[in-house]
Amino acid sequence: MTDRIRAIEGLALVAALTAVFDGVHGLGDQFVQREHDALTKGMHGSHLVYKNDGSPVEENPWRHGKEGRTCTASGYGRRSVSRHVASVGLVT
């Protein structure tokens, strides 16, 4: 009987944590996540974009120094998703 009670307690814990995470995730999306990350976390592709703002290199190919550093759109999107996950994780 003890194993059955532990299984029920485990399921109850998972359900409670899922409900809390569901509520907190919305808070993290609305108030903690940067708007720029929300807009760019879906970027993908092999074309080059600037690391500081995610704009395509074709729009302004003459940037220099730190402003001129580039990466692929997929890499930029992964960075935005990572910042989103970190912000929601901190809230949780």
Side-chain angles (χ1 to χ4, degrees):
M1 194 66 141
T2 317
D3 291 336
R4 189 174 199 177
I5 292 173
R6 285 187 187 197
I8 292 171
E9 288 175 346
L11 287 173
L13 178 63
V14 168
L17 290 176
T18 301
V20 168
F21 181 75
D22 187 42
V24 172
H25 186 260
L27 178 71
D29 272 349
Q30 297 297 320
F31 298 108
V32 179
Q33 177 181 222
R34 295 181 352 188
E35 181 179 357
H36 185 73
D37 289 340
L39 296 173
T40 58
K41 65 184 178 185
M43 288 180 69
H44 62 279
S46 59
H47 60 283
L48 293 177
V49 297
Y50 289 109
K51 280 188 176 183
N52 66 337
D53 63 1
S55 63
V57 172
E58 294 85 28
E59 289 180 8
N60 184 6
W62 302 108
R63 291 186 183 183
H64 298 289
K66 287 186 177 181
E67 289 281 319
R69 293 183 181 163
T70 61
C71 65
T72 64
S74 292
Y76 194 83
R78 283 191 296 271
R79 284 187 188 93
S80 295
V81 168
S82 298
R83 285 189 296 267
H84 166 69
V85 168
S87 67
V88 171
L90 287 174
V91 170
T92 304

